[in-house]
Amino acid sequence: MKNNRLLCSTGAMVGRENGYNYKRALSVIAKLKEKELLYGGELMMLKFYYDKRESIVSEVLRSDVPFPLIHCEKGIGTDLSHAAYLDSAGEYKSAEALLFDTIEHFRLNCRFGEDIGARYMVLHLWGGLDSDSYVQYNISKLGLLTDIASGHGIDLLLENVPCTTRDPLSNWLSIIERYPKSELIFDTRFATVHEQAEATLSCVGIIDRLRHIHVSDCAYTLFENAYMQNGMRDFSCLRPILHPYEGIVKLDDIAASLAKLGYTGTVTLESPVMEGEELNTARLESSFRKLSDIFHAD
């Protein structure tokens, strides 16, 4: 059965433990496509890729697999949050320098996306230890980021990233108030750790902006394991990243809500299968068969 909705993140198979072997990941995704278990891939950008642009792009194109999405390197949002902290602390020159470097790195991410033919870019607009403590600063940069991405033929999708100060849904609503045309990507694990899956998927103003879904699972919620240390939440609840139905994410309920909303867009599996230098491809195939059933992706 040909599947035209499911994607696999390269992040599920590329990391320090296997020497960032992106070629192997692309090969596995291509084989899964041949088996009609998925449609294409989502390129998870890493700092490791920054000086390897020609090689990465060449390998992606050679794989002959569609990559409609690119996930912006997560450090972009973290650096924005830290620039906000520096600015609030009166360290204006340091904040300006960090912001300049962050924007240049973002431009590079967009060039990667354009070169591989991506239509959308997933963005963590906030992140790191400072997270959303200064979220209005980060939001104030969204217009610039959107314009840069648009110049490369890419639409930004803002993810419901875990928060230290507010919560993902509140931040999304603040963004939409300022930028009504904003588009969103819903992450099942992130929504679950904040216990916001149901509230998010029933929120007027959110549902019409959802363009993509990230799927993974987790063992327990943020609130079950939350404690405050220097004003910051413990994010250890985000790990380990489990596969669908291995944890507490109510994927059946989420899929039913999405179906009720008429969502027919793409879905990316982000759950890792790295076991040292090896990849557990059988586990990957099993997860895609489950996702195909639950999302009726054919």
Side-chain angles (χ1 to χ4, degrees), residues 152-193:
H152 291 275
I154 293 173
D155 292 337
L156 287 184
L157 303 183
L158 308 177
E159 193 159 17
N160 52 327
V161 181
C163 303
T164 59
T165 303
R166 303 211 306 173
D167 61 84
L169 181 55
S170 294
N171 287 343
W172 267 1
L173 293 174
S174 292
I175 290 168
I176 291 169
E177 182 178 4
R178 183 161 180 176
Y179 299 99
K181 294 183 180 180
S182 295
E183 297 177 302
L184 310 171
I185 177 270
F186 176 86
D187 185 288
T188 61
R189 180 168 53 103
F190 292 167
T192 296
V193 297

Side-chain angles (χ1 to χ4, degrees), residues 8-154:
C8 183
S9 171
T10 57
M13 294 178 279
V14 180
R16 185 182 297 106
E17 60 187 293
N18 64 7
Y20 301 102
N21 192 343
Y22 58 88
K23 294 182 181 180
R24 173 78 191 283
L26 292 171
S27 175
V28 170
I29 292 173
K31 290 178 181 177
L32 291 174
K33 188 174 188 302
E34 288 177 4
K35 294 181 178 182
E36 299 187 340
L37 289 173
L38 51 70
Y39 167 71
E42 177 178 328
L43 180 66
M44 171 67 76
M45 278 297 298
L46 304 170
K47 290 181 180 178
F48 178 79
Y49 294 163
Y50 278 2
D51 62 351
K52 302 171 179 63
R53 181 177 158 209
E54 290 187 6
S55 175
I56 302 291
V57 170
S58 176
E59 291 295 332
V60 170
L61 297 179
R62 186 180 295 127
S63 73
D64 199 30
V65 173
F67 273 77
L69 281 99
I70 181 171
H71 193 307
C72 190
E73 199 275 312
K74 296 175 183 178
I76 298 296
T78 299
D79 288 344
L80 277 177
S81 294
H82 191 56
Y85 163 75
L86 292 172
D87 186 75
S88 70
E91 299 182 38
Y92 304 120
K93 289 186 178 180
S94 295
E96 184 178 2
L98 179 55
L99 178 61
F100 178 84
D101 289 343
T102 303
I103 296 301
E104 290 307 299
H105 288 151
F106 179 76
R107 292 184 195 276
L108 179 57
N109 278 256
C110 289
R111 286 197 288 271
F112 268 88
E114 180 179 26
D115 289 347
I116 67 172
R119 176 184 176 186
Y120 293 115
M121 174 181 282
V122 176
L123 176 65
H124 288 197
L125 186 58
W126 58 88
L129 292 177
D130 297 305
S131 187
D132 66 329
S133 299
Y134 310 94
V135 70
Q136 292 305 322
Y137 175 97
N138 296 48
I139 293 175
S140 73
K141 309 305 176 188
L142 183 55
L144 172 60
L145 298 178
T146 299
D147 288 344
I148 292 172
S150 180
H152 291 275
I154 293 173

Side-chain angles (χ1 to χ4, degrees), residues 239-260:
R239 298 291 190 277
I241 303 174
L242 304 179
H243 278 252
Y245 298 105
E246 291 182 352
I248 64 170
V249 171
K250 297 179 179 178
L251 194 54
D252 288 322
D253 292 347
I254 290 172
S257 294
L258 289 169
K260 185 176 180 180

